[in-house]
């Protein structure tokens, strides 16, 4: 199946299924991101560890379960029992007791609560959205195009998950095509997600509230901590053009936030406002990525430890590789405020393009 047909089928999934909860979006977005970061070399099956899928789903809901000012916690389902959201809220509560609001820090400080949340979320994923995702109305049972779901469903317990290797295995070609479609799928999933949350929360309909920023925006308060630490360690100058920066200058996502939700230090650089807004959500030319990844990892780790912030270098390398290798040749890459370049995306002398996908 080619990328076009896969894309059409996914649109059919999104349009036709009953949309009673936002789980389906969280699952698809997590799958797409995993495929970008772990792009297989050829059209081979890709085994996605369920645990990692669960962790990604938790990360997506982590900020979303916070109350929205003046409204409260947003409903994400029409059902009264909402296991995934309850699991995320409980983990947030334990994290708060352990004096952190960061999911990555919570993993270290309250490891048992973290594990429990992941186990819970994985169980729910296998019983519901993973089991139902491909079941379009009128579809013959057993016809699947993303992965074999014959063992999944309501009755599944942990030992059944373990017997199946605790992975969901994507058919050959699916991962490559999901990565190629990520630039279309991610924004579509966000739009539909926002639409459903507004539909599920009557109180939002007449308010002029930026629901999209609440659900998917960047965490501005936190980024101020990164800026202060970067200025201390690297000096206050723009990563791209060297211009002098001040306390209101942006922190730029090297690989655009709209393409991969990577907030780790490895994907963050200080930038001046003109560079930041000119770059917007474009991919930068290879050399900017190389320079950012060449920063001293020990120094980044030290900053991370100081301000309680993840580094995510491996994930950033994986995502860079996936984004450049799956983008169509001829894609303009952002060079500087004065323009773009069109270069070979598979440029052979770029080390991070060659780094094999690590096995975590
Ligand atoms: Zn600049």
């Amino acid at each position: 199946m080619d990328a076009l047909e896969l894309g059409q089928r996914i649109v059919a999934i999104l349009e036709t299924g009953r949309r009673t909860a936002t789980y389906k979006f969280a699952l698809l977005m997590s799958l797409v991101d995993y495929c970008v970061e772990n792009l297989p070399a050829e059209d081979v099956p890709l085994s996605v560890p369920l645990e990692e899928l669960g962790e990604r789903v938790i990360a997506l809901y982590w900020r979303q379960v916070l109350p929205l000012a003046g409204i409260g916690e947003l409903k994400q389902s029409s059902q009264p029992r909402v296991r995934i959201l309850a699991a995320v809220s409980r983990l947030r509560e334990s994290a708060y007791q352990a004096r952190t609001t960061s999911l990555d820090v919570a993993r270290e400080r309250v490891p048992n609560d973290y594990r429990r949340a992941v186990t819970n979320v994985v169980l729910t994923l296998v019983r519901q959205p993973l089991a139902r995702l491909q079941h379009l109305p009128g579809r013959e049972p057993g016809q699947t195009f993303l992965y074999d779901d014959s063992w999944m469903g309501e009755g599944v317990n942990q030992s059944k998950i373990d017997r199946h290797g605790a992975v969901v295995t994507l058919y050959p070609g699916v991962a490559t095509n999901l990565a190629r479609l990520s630039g279309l799928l991610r924004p579509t999933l966000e739009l539909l997600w926002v639409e459903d949350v507004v539909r599920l929360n009557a109180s939002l309909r007449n308010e002029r509230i930026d629901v999209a920023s609440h659900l998917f925006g960047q965490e501005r308060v936190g980024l101020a901590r990164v800026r202060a630490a970067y200025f201390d360690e690297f000096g206050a100058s723009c990563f791209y053009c060297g211009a002098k920066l001040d306390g209101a200058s942006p922190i730029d996502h090297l690989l655009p936030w709209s393409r991969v939700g990577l907030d780790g230090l490895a994907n963050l650089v200080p930038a001046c406002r003109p560079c930041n807004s000119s770059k917007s959500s474009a991919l930068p030319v290879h050399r900017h990525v190389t320079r950012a990844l060449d920063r001293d990892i020990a120094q980044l780790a030290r900053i991370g430890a100081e301000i309680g912030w993840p580094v995510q270098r491996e994930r950033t390398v994986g995502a860079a590789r996936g984004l450049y290798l799956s983008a169509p040749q001829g894609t303009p890459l952002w060079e500087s405020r004065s323009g773009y370049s069109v270069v070979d995306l598979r440029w052979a002398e770029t080390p991070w393009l060659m780094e094999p996908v690590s096995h975590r």
Side-chain angles (χ1 to χ4, degrees):
M1 186 183 302
D2 64 13
L4 180 61
E5 198 181 343
L6 187 81
Q8 287 169 325
R9 293 227 195 171
I10 288 175
V11 170
I13 284 180
L14 296 172
E15 280 176 345
T16 53
R18 278 191 316 138
R19 293 189 352 210
T20 51
T22 55
Y23 291 180
K24 203 193 263 185
F25 304 137
L27 169 64
L28 269 172
M29 206 179 271
S30 301
L31 272 177
V32 169
D33 286 356
Y34 185 88
C35 292
V36 169
E37 289 176 38
N38 299 272
L39 190 73
E42 286 163 52
D43 285 353
V44 291
L46 180 70
S47 290
V48 183
L50 285 166
E51 198 179 287
E52 189 160 340
L53 213 51
E55 291 187 287
R56 283 171 188 270
V57 167
I58 292 175
L60 282 171
Y61 283 116
W62 186 248
R63 282 190 54 227
Q64 300 195 357
V65 298
L66 289 178
L68 177 59
I71 300 280
E73 187 175 330
L74 297 179
K75 283 180 72 177
Q76 300 243 11
S77 167
S78 56
Q79 310 296 312
R81 286 188 67 231
V82 205
R83 274 187 81 154
I84 292 183
L85 290 164
V88 176
S89 294
R90 270 200 306 277
L91 180 58
R92 263 214 99 106
E93 186 57 34
S94 333
Y96 183 74
Q97 305 288 341
R99 292 161 179 274
T100 182
T101 54
S102 149
L103 180 57
D104 287 85
V105 177
R107 184 192 293 135
E108 312 291 323
R109 290 199 193 155
V110 285
N112 294 337
D113 295 318
Y114 185 86
R115 287 264 65 78
R116 197 171 309 126
V118 173
T119 307
N120 244 311
V121 169
V122 167
L123 262 180
T124 311
L125 287 177
V126 174
R127 287 173 183 169
Q128 297 175 12
L130 270 168
R132 294 177 190 166
L133 191 66
Q134 301 169 89
H135 290 242
L136 296 177
R139 196 203 66 157
E140 302 277 324
Q143 267 182 4
T144 53
F145 63 100
L146 297 171
Y147 50 85
D148 172 24
D149 61 12
S150 58
W151 62 275
M152 300 171 182
E154 285 298 342
V156 172
N157 56 17
Q158 190 59 48
S159 65
K160 190 161 189 182
I161 291 177
D162 293 339
R163 276 205 304 284
H164 284 86
V167 294
V168 49
T169 303
L170 302 177
Y171 294 139
V174 168
T176 328
N177 284 332
L178 283 181
R180 285 162 83 185
L181 290 167
S182 72
L184 291 170
L185 285 177
R186 264 197 140 260
T188 307
L189 289 165
E190 282 192 9
L191 281 173
L192 293 172
W193 195 328
V194 170
E195 199 179 293
D196 277 13
V197 167
V198 171
R199 192 171 48 76
L200 289 162
N201 293 271
S203 54
L204 289 175
R205 270 171 230 158
N206 302 315
E207 304 278 341
R208 294 180 59 184
I209 290 173
D210 188 355
V211 182
S213 291
H214 176 69
L215 298 179
F216 300 108
Q218 301 161 16
E219 205 202 318
R220 292 202 163 71
V221 183
L223 288 178
R225 292 214 306 278
V226 175
R227 181 172 47 234
Y230 273 6
F231 283 7
D232 281 351
E233 291 275 339
F234 304 114
S237 56
C238 173
F239 177 79
Y240 301 110
C241 75
K244 244 185 141 34
L245 301 180
D246 60 50
S249 301
I251 288 296
D252 186 65
H253 287 78
L254 177 80
L255 304 173
W257 177 252
S258 58
R259 297 296 308 274
V260 280
L262 276 179
D263 236 347
L265 295 179
N267 193 38
L268 295 177
V269 295
C272 67
R273 203 162 291 283
C275 281
N276 178 252
S277 57
S278 152
K279 177 166 168 279
S280 184
S281 47
L283 284 178
V285 289
H286 299 67
R287 72 183 158 82
H288 292 314
V289 181
T290 306
R291 272 178 56 229
L293 292 174
D294 278 351
R295 286 178 297 177
D296 182 359
I297 186 74
Q299 195 176 9
L300 287 183
R302 197 170 59 240
I303 298 173
E306 246 164 51
I307 63 172
W309 203 275
V311 176
Q312 296 179 327
R313 187 178 185 281
E314 278 187 28
R315 285 187 62 185
T316 305
V317 171
R321 189 177 160 275
L323 286 176
Y324 285 75
L325 293 184
S326 61
Q329 285 294 355
T331 300
L333 301 178
W334 186 82
E335 175 94 47
S336 71
R337 257 143 53 197
S338 46
Y340 290 78
S341 305
V342 175
V343 294
D344 184 357
L345 288 156
R346 289 149 189 80
W347 188 31
E349 281 172 50
T350 302
W352 45 268
L353 280 178
M354 325 269 267
E355 283 187 38
V357 179
S358 62
H359 294 280
R360 289 169 286 251

